[in-house]
Amino acid sequence: MLTATKTTTMLPVEDPERAGRFYTDALGLKPVATAPDGTRIFALGQGDALGLMPAEKGAQTGHTVISFEVPDLESEIRELEDKGVHFEDYDLPDFKTVNHIAVMGNERAAWFTDTEGNILCLHELLGDEA
């Protein structure tokens, strides 16, 4: 059934060209195709894909749309900041980041937005001792 299928996560983008440059240049994703409707497809690990679908401004949501699991969160943050990516910081009663990172149970995470306002996340799983 569906558990054995490959997936494509679709993100709404106002400007596919601008968004495509961000996902290629800043995030290092490999473009693999452009669909007839202008959706740009990028390869992700394990055969999955990311699609940047043309949409009107404001089609983005106010929550995380995709999270990339990374082995070394600080290193990934530094690398992306060197490419101009801005990470968000939060200081809420039940949620706080320190140096862009929030600890939540057995994972640590950091958030940033793409050029279109989509909220993206990097997360690192912690060992059993966390």
Side-chain angles (χ1 to χ4, degrees), residues 78-92:
R78 280 192 306 275
E79 185 176 328
L80 290 176
E81 284 182 325
D82 287 347
K83 294 180 179 182
V85 173
H86 170 77
F87 282 82
E88 302 296 327
D89 284 303
Y90 302 97
D91 189 1
L92 305 169

Side-chain angles (χ1 to χ4, degrees), residues 9-15 18-20 22-23 27 50-56 58-66 68 85-86 88 90 111-121:
T9 299
M10 303 298 286
L11 302 183
V13 298
E14 180 184 1
D15 185 334
R18 175 180 60 206
F22 176 82
Y23 282 85
L27 302 188
L50 175 68
L52 304 178
M53 174 183 61
E56 294 179 6
Q60 296 73 27
T61 65
H63 60 80
T64 304
V65 293
I66 191 168
F68 299 93
V85 173
H86 170 77
E88 302 296 327
Y90 302 97
W111 290 265
F112 60 99
T113 59
D114 67 9
T115 57
E116 311 306 296
N118 292 300
I119 301 170
L120 312 176
C121 179

